[in-house]
DNA sequence: ACCTGAACACCGTTCAAGT
DNA sequence: ACCTGAACACCGTTCAAGT
């Protein structure tokens, strides 16, 4: 398992194949199928391994706050970012394994206390997850591209195709190349502010 | 191009290979490389073809409103849902092709008028995109799984592994199996409400 | 319980050569 | 400009057989 992540870290998800993992593990390809049912099962295990790197010990679930929720999401993003293609590995893998469920549980507990009464904590958890994974996938796609000459040609294509409204093309590129930490944070704020306003700042 | 989507519609993205597409197009594998640089280029073209199905003609950009923004996002989701694995096809593909840029542009125009002054419309556009794609990926992953016996075994795993807090396990499943249209909509509301509040309901 | 060897039915991509 | 044929270096998965 650790081997699989080592491999992806240095070679990317698309380069991870059962056969290459087998040689990395000094084993015959067929032997892997005693440990994982198939490639999808391997990816689920990798997904959970990513969640397993998230340290939640300092988060006081007895004392929930919006900041705690944000910290959870930020750590989720950090964890995914720490693995090459981490976003894609996690997205839609539905890994109901221990580390994944663990994060879900603490996030849910925090949200129970913080969510405005008219919304469901589970629903908000889903929104936050969708946002975070979607964000990281885009981010990592950009990271893989930038630096290569493929990125330059993409930028040129955007400029060329968006001839009608040149400002938006620039905007599109600026968003990607800008400070992504801040952008993620602001996005979180955008989502959370609307939700807690009702409970924290009730109409006088 | 249309052929590629037909193929994915009936066989799924993972089953789409250059070779199979070639036989579907009644052509030799090598011939495809005169139309697409590689597999990634093909996926970018497919991504744009998905956006091309979105009809924006009835959206009055001169008269921007929150409802118009929501309509845009809903149609984006609809378009992705209409194609098998549409979310994954679009996610992080950075297709700077005409239909994609077209949607970006109208969304941006609408947001320019509606976004609270302290936030950037481009940033909000990115948040909405992250949310929508993330949502659809999860949704389609569920749709592919549900119905198969794999889904049943996942549900059992969730129940078994989440032994500490059984309620949350149920919650997790309920979220997925519930009314996803409503869930998407509420999520949008959650995001947008916080953002326009400042401009629509200024403190007295 | 875990592994090997060997096989089966595939992949993406390239490239000289044809029209 | 577009296509074929053929090749190269790979894939995931299965399964009898070994230990």
């Amino acid at each position: 398992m650790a081997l699989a992540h080592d491999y992806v870290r240095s070679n990317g998800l698309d380069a991870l194949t059962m056969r290459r993992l087998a040689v990395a593990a000094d084993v015959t390809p067929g032997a892997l199928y005693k440990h994982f049912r198939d490639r999808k099962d391997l990816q689920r295990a990798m997904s959970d391994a990513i969640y397993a790197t998230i340290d939640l010990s300092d988060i006081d679930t007895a004392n929930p706050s919006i900041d705690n929720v944000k910290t959870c999401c930020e750590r989720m993003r950090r964890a995914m970012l720490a693995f090459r293609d981490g976003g894609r590995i996690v997205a839609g893998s539905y890994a109901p394994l221990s580390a994944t469920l663990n994060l879900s549980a603490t996030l849910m507990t925090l949200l129970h206390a913080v969510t405005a009464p008219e919304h469901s904590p589970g629903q908000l958890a889903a929104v936050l997850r969708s946002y975070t994974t979607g964000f990281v996938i885009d981010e990592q796609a950009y990271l893989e591209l930038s630096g290569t000459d493929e990125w330059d040609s993409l930028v040129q294509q955007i400029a060329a195709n968006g001839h009608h409204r040149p400002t938006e093309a620039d905007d599109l590129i600026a968003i990607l190349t800008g400070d992504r930490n801040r952008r993620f944070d602001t996005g979180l704020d955008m989502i959370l502010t609307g939700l807690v306003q009702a409970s924290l700042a009730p109409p006088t």
Side-chain angles (χ1 to χ4, degrees), chain A:
Chain A
M1 192 51 273
L3 263 168
H5 264 121
D6 282 357
Y7 193 92
V8 173
R9 168 170 284 106
S10 35
N11 301 92
L13 179 63
D14 293 330
L16 176 73
T17 65
M18 298 301 262
R19 286 181 116 103
R20 295 214 254 241
L21 181 59
V23 326
D26 245 326
V27 111
T28 260
L32 289 180
Y33 290 80
K34 293 286 150 188
H35 301 275
F36 310 102
R37 215 207 313 269
D38 50 21
R39 216 185 173 287
K40 243 158 93 178
D41 195 43
L42 168 63
Q43 184 161 328
R44 257 197 286 269
M46 293 176 72
S47 174
D48 200 61
I50 292 177
Y51 278 110
T53 65
I54 305 176
D55 179 25
L56 295 169
S57 60
D58 61 325
I59 291 188
D60 187 4
T61 48
N63 235 340
S65 74
I66 299 169
D67 277 344
N68 276 345
V69 171
K70 284 179 63 179
T71 307
C72 268
C73 293
E74 271 154 15
R75 293 209 183 144
M76 215 171 118
R77 166 166 171 263
R78 280 274 147 244
M80 290 193 266
L81 275 183
F83 294 85
R84 226 227 274 201
D85 293 322
R88 272 164 67 213
I89 292 173
V90 165
S93 85
Y94 286 132
L97 308 174
S98 62
T100 307
L101 290 174
N102 204 31
L103 181 106
S104 282
T106 60
L107 189 58
M108 217 92 124
T109 316
L110 295 175
L111 286 173
H112 252 286
V114 136
T115 309
E118 68 269 28
H119 295 302
S120 122
Q123 163 124 215
L124 178 50
V127 170
L128 289 173
R129 258 192 6 107
S130 294
Y131 169 65
T132 307
T133 348
F135 189 97
V136 174
I137 289 180
D138 248 42
E139 198 170 3
Q140 288 180 323
Y142 164 75
L143 287 171
E144 296 273 336
L145 243 54
S146 86
T148 71
D149 36 350
E150 247 190 300
W151 172 249
D152 297 336
S153 84
L154 268 188
V155 169
Q156 284 178 337
Q157 269 186 65
I158 292 178
N161 263 346
H163 47 88
H164 284 303
R165 277 157 282 213
T167 338
E168 266 119 31
D170 291 350
D171 229 12
L172 224 88
I173 295 162
I175 285 287
L176 289 170
T177 51
D179 182 343
R180 292 184 302 279
N181 293 332
R182 237 171 64 78
R183 182 157 67 85
F184 179 72
D185 236 56
T186 318
L188 272 185
D189 276 332
M190 286 174 169
I191 296 175
L192 289 170
T193 309
L195 292 162
V196 286
Q197 225 141 16
S199 53
L200 290 198
T204 38

